[in-house]
Amino acid sequence: MTLMTEWATGTVGERAISALSATARADWDLFTDWCTATGRTPITSTWADLSDFLAEIPASTVIQQRRVRHIQTVLEQEPTGLPRPLVVATARPGPQWLTYPDAMTALRHEWHPEGVAARRDALILTLAAHGFTRNRIRRLRPQQTTTFPEPVVDSFSLPRHRDPVLCPRCALTRWLAILDAYRHRSGRDIEDLLTDARTHSTLHPGHDCLTTDLTEGWRHAPWLICPIDRHGALTPDRPVTRRALTAILTRRFIRPDEKPPTAAEPVAISEASSPGDRRLDRRQREELDELYAKIEADADALNTRIEILLLNAQ
């Protein structure tokens, strides 16, 4: 690869970041996530770093040109186009990872309690596959979502897929149905929903996005993506954490017959704070914080590889 000169030496302008569109912000967030995972600092990136970023997060030429344009806008650099020569690296999943279609197919949407988390996780996988970063996913609110005239999440219009299992619109509809059923804070309503859905899918399998009648109950949820415990109970008053999102992606892509790698430790992290954590003394909390910091660094690197896998599956 040709040696390239440094392209960013100043500070990032907060004004430029605040003025970004939703698409531009997604491109910038993806770049900063990649920089964190690879031990780089965005404001001191070089042309070589940019070329590595484009090679490790492959996409079409049009998308890569858009990413470069948005990144350079934030860094207040003159537009230069794509680096030449541009190395296109095709990431290949190792034997321990499921493909995107296999991960989606493995989710059981109609059984309680696993169907509750399965529906939420299907939407998380779908959004990640379409370029949503962890920070963007965890900050989503129902007010940023519409279902008519077409499903839209944070200004992104969800496409329809011919396979209901892989259909982004169905993934959104299934999860909104859970939030809608929980409008009275009743877990029994969710269980009844899944039971009815299981019966319906057996008799008439098809697109939930075309057959599910949603009321406005889901709009009253504080967050679009919330923590869920192992019993299928929602914690709607707080968003899911970044660590939990990484754990979810890891858990859904690890083959059930494979031993998870070391970086998959976030699977053990609770999605919501446990009351037992408050009984730790200061030394134990400090040790736990250090452990979480290490796991966070490993998880960022793992999440970057998962994002590559998702992009290649499109």
Side-chain angles (χ1 to χ4, degrees):
M1 181 182 296
T2 305
L3 181 64
M4 298 182 235
T5 58
E6 289 194 355
W7 67 298
T9 56
T11 59
V12 178
E14 292 296 332
R15 182 178 302 176
I17 296 177
S18 62
L20 293 176
S21 65
T23 301
R25 186 57 184 262
D27 289 338
W28 174 250
D29 286 345
L30 180 61
F31 178 64
T32 56
D33 277 356
W34 176 84
C35 287
T36 301
T38 56
R40 294 171 169 87
T41 303
I43 61 174
T44 59
S45 299
T46 66
W47 267 110
D49 294 327
L50 179 59
S51 184
D52 289 343
F53 166 72
L54 297 177
E56 292 189 14
I57 313 293
S60 66
T61 300
V62 173
I63 292 178
Q64 297 290 48
Q65 288 174 337
R66 185 199 70 200
R67 288 173 175 171
V68 171
R69 182 173 67 254
H70 291 157
I71 292 169
Q72 291 186 325
T73 296
V74 174
L75 296 174
E76 300 176 350
Q77 301 295 315
E78 291 294 328
T80 56
L82 295 177
R84 296 290 189 267
L86 175 62
V87 178
V88 179
T90 302
R92 297 182 180 273
Q96 74 272 25
W97 299 112
L98 293 171
T99 64
Y100 174 67
D102 287 343
M104 293 290 286
T105 303
L107 297 173
R108 293 159 57 89
H109 303 125
E110 286 81 30
W111 295 87
H112 190 274
E114 60 266 33
V116 183
R119 290 185 173 216
R120 180 204 58 184
D121 296 353
L123 180 58
I124 291 174
L125 266 61
T126 297
L127 296 176
H130 288 85
F132 281 59
T133 63
R134 287 177 300 164
N135 278 335
R136 187 179 179 189
I137 291 174
R138 70 180 298 269
R139 292 171 180 168
L140 291 172
R141 294 181 180 270
Q143 293 82 358
Q144 297 170 270
T145 304
T146 59
T147 58
F148 184 82
E150 63 180 16
V152 175
V153 177
D154 194 21
S155 303
F156 177 74
S157 179
L158 295 176
R160 178 180 290 122
H161 193 282
R162 65 180 181 277
D163 185 347
V165 174
L166 303 179
C167 178
R169 297 187 176 190
C170 286
L172 175 64
T173 301
R174 294 186 192 108
W175 175 239
L176 292 184
I178 292 291
L179 296 180
D180 190 49
Y182 197 67
R183 62 189 180 277
H184 300 306
R185 301 296 179 101
S186 172
R188 184 57 183 268
D189 289 341
I190 293 179
E191 187 173 355
D192 290 343
L193 167 71
L194 296 180
T195 300
D196 292 342
R198 183 167 67 252
T199 302
H200 178 79
S201 65
T202 301
L203 298 175
H204 307 285
H207 281 268
D208 288 320
C209 61
L210 300 177
T211 60
T212 302
D213 294 325
L214 294 173
T215 67
E216 297 296 303
W218 61 271
R219 296 187 183 277
H220 301 295
W223 300 94
L224 183 63
I225 306 295
C226 65
I228 301 171
D229 69 16
R230 61 182 177 178
H231 303 294
L234 277 62
T235 307
D237 299 328
R238 72 186 76 175
V240 69
T241 65
R242 290 182 62 204
R243 290 188 180 118
L245 282 172
T246 300
I248 290 166
L249 291 170
T250 302
R251 183 170 64 250
R252 296 307 187 184
F253 277 97
I254 289 288
R255 291 184 181 275
D257 56 343
E258 294 280 351
K259 181 180 179 180
T262 303
E265 282 297 319
V267 171
I269 297 177
S270 174
E271 295 179 5
S273 298
S274 169
D277 292 344
R278 303 188 186 97
R279 295 194 294 268
L280 300 176
D281 59 33
R282 174 179 291 183
R283 180 183 61 80
Q284 290 173 320
R285 288 197 299 269
E286 290 176 351
E287 291 178 354
L288 186 61
D289 287 342
E290 291 178 1
L291 175 61
Y292 276 3
K294 181 180 183 301
I295 290 175
E296 176 84 351
D298 292 341
D300 279 333
L302 176 62
N303 193 58
T304 297
R305 304 308 302 173
I306 292 174
E307 287 176 348
I308 296 173
L309 174 62
L310 293 173
L311 288 168
N312 283 344
Q314 296 184 63

